Amino acid sequence: MANTDPLGDVIPELSLVRNPQDGLYYKVSPTELDLFTRSYAPPLPADDAIATPEEQGTSVLDYGKLFMLGGAQTAQGIGWLTKKAGLESFGQAVEDLGTNAVDYWQNALTPAMQQELAKQFVVKNDMGEYEWGDAGFGTAIATGVTSLPATMLSFGVGGGLTKVLQVFANPVGRSALATAAKAGSQAAAKKLAFVDSVIGAAGFGAAEGIQGGASVGQQVEAQVLKMDPEKLAQSERYRQVFDSTDEDMPWAERHNYAATTVAKEAASEAGWQSGLTTALLGAPMGAFFGRALGKRVSDMMASTATRRIGTAAAGEAAQEFLQSGGEQLAQNRALIGAGDTDRGTWDDVLNQAVGGALAGAALGGAFGLAEPAPQQQSSAGT
């Protein structure tokens, strides 16, 4: 029987198909309609002779693919942020490029690695109580590798912003402190360390907030556009925009306009909330407590390689716990407002927070291992 339901992905009677990439409906030719109709056919039953993901196992190449996947996800966020800056066409092109790359690298992963990424760190049982899921050390490492490109970008942008702030934020006062510190003044050296820690917190915090906000904003916009129209219709804002359009317009055009409007508004709200939370609770925490406590405390806590690794891992884990949980909370709030009433405000928040903390601990420990010992730093500075 022909599909006349306007909520379907393919509507033959109207020659409409829903683009799975952007979630919008488009009018197509009969030939294209036939291709889309066949593409939505149910998959063939699996062959029992094919090895399961566990039997196939992961590959070393998977980690390179995960890194590329993280880079593609970062490109999606950059494209979304570029659109918000007013360069709509260029930003959309960058975002589409990132989206295509995400699909490519996800499909390039072995089935075992795809299954690893789908595992949960924390789940709710039938009693509504939290318990440990099926994720483990391998999932944390895979998550950490995927997030590495975004982390590297944040570090690069944060370092640049910090340098700019050091030059233009009270340059006379900082220059005087730097001169006095070079002359041997311990008091000036301590003040300079404190000033630089605050500047570093501002620079790295801003970079992390921009990157995190862009990532969340892009994800929310894409998810809202792909929501079922009947679910979107539960949003008062969607109904308001839809009803404001010309009734003589085709249904698909009215839906596309309303869905796009709601998606952009929800993405902006989630983006700035997540970005602000990350900027305030993320990088500044590590920058401040890592350097502003003073050289004596830093040397005491990080006098050995083991302690440096532990300190860096703990700091990054705490930062990522707050950041990942906050990002998921912002997404949930935005998606609920857009009509996803089946979603709970705290759904997946603890799972994302724990997963982010474990992945952050792995990355932080690696950075701590690569950091020179305090004695080497001291000698380098004399």
Side-chain angles (χ1 to χ4, degrees):
M1 182 176 178
N3 176 16
T4 58
D5 183 2
L7 307 183
D9 289 319
V10 179
I11 311 176
E13 284 71 17
L14 302 179
S15 296
L16 291 174
V17 297
R18 194 178 192 188
N19 187 336
Q21 193 170 72
D22 62 17
L24 301 179
Y25 286 89
Y26 295 91
K27 196 171 187 64
V28 296
S29 67
T31 301
E32 292 173 323
L33 180 63
D34 180 61
L35 289 174
F36 269 89
T37 302
R38 282 187 283 139
S39 71
Y40 284 109
L44 296 175
D47 188 347
D48 293 336
I50 298 177
T52 63
E54 292 84 355
E55 293 172 340
Q56 291 177 331
T58 60
S59 167
V60 175
L61 296 178
D62 276 332
Y63 295 95
K65 296 172 184 177
L66 286 172
F67 183 86
M68 298 302 294
L69 173 62
Q73 291 172 343
T74 303
Q76 287 179 306
I78 293 174
W80 181 85
L81 191 63
T82 304
K83 290 193 301 183
K84 299 298 292 183
L87 301 175
E88 183 74 26
S89 298
F90 179 73
Q92 189 63 59
V94 174
E95 185 177 352
D96 289 344
L97 182 64
T99 300
N100 291 332
V102 165
D103 292 339
Y104 174 82
W105 290 113
Q106 282 180 334
N107 293 328
L109 295 171
T110 61
M113 182 56 76
Q114 293 178 8
Q115 190 176 76
E116 192 71 38
L117 290 176
K119 293 180 178 179
Q120 300 285 299
F121 290 95
V122 179
V123 296
K124 273 188 176 182
N125 58 28
D126 295 337
M127 303 294 293
E129 300 171 340
Y130 288 107
E131 60 182 26
W132 191 258
D134 55 352
F137 181 74
T139 312
I141 294 299
T143 303
V145 173
T146 307
S147 65
L148 189 56
T151 302
M152 294 171 62
L153 177 64
S154 295
F155 279 3
V157 175
L161 289 175
T162 299
K163 290 294 184 183
V164 171
L165 290 174
Q166 286 177 340
V167 172
F168 293 102
N170 192 18
V172 177
R174 186 183 180 281
S175 178
L177 287 175
T179 301
K182 288 181 179 179
S185 171
Q186 294 295 322
K190 290 182 179 180
K191 290 182 180 179
L192 180 62
F194 177 77
V195 169
D196 281 347
S197 71
V198 174
I199 291 176
F204 283 95
E208 190 105 8
I210 292 171
Q211 190 277 325
S215 176
V216 170
Q218 189 278 328
Q219 291 178 48
V220 168
E221 184 171 319
Q223 290 182 64
V224 172
L225 286 173
K226 294 177 182 179
M227 285 171 57
D228 290 337
E230 60 181 359
K231 183 169 287 188
L232 274 170
Q234 299 180 41
S235 165
E236 181 180 353
R237 178 58 177 157
Y238 172 88
R239 295 194 302 269
Q240 181 184 39
V241 177
F242 187 92
D243 292 341
S244 70
T245 58
D246 189 346
E247 294 183 359
D248 293 332
M249 290 173 57
W251 173 88
E253 291 184 21
R254 300 178 71 186
H255 163 77
N256 288 351
Y257 177 74
T260 301
T261 300
V262 172
K264 289 183 176 181
E265 292 176 353
S268 296
E269 179 182 359
W272 76 257
Q273 287 180 352
S274 175
L276 182 61
T277 301
T278 299
L280 292 177
L281 300 178
M285 179 182 294
F288 186 84
F289 288 104
R291 291 189 288 174
L293 290 178
K295 187 176 184 298
R296 180 182 302 176
V297 176
S298 298
D299 287 350
M300 179 180 66
M301 294 178 63
S303 58
T304 66
T306 302
R307 288 180 180 175
R308 286 201 313 278
I309 294 172
T311 301
E316 189 69 16
Q319 171 186 332
E320 290 298 329
F321 183 90
L322 293 171
Q323 177 180 336
S324 299
E327 288 178 352
Q328 185 61 47
L329 179 61
Q331 286 189 49
N332 289 344
R333 288 170 56 87
L335 292 172
I336 291 172
D340 190 359
T341 54
D342 295 333
R343 180 183 296 264
T345 303
W346 296 97
D347 282 0
D348 207 36
V349 171
L350 185 57
N351 172 63
Q352 291 297 327
V354 172
L358 293 176
L363 286 178
F367 291 141
L369 180 62
E371 182 184 359
Q375 292 83 353
Q376 293 174 323
Q377 291 175 331
S378 300
S379 61
T382 57

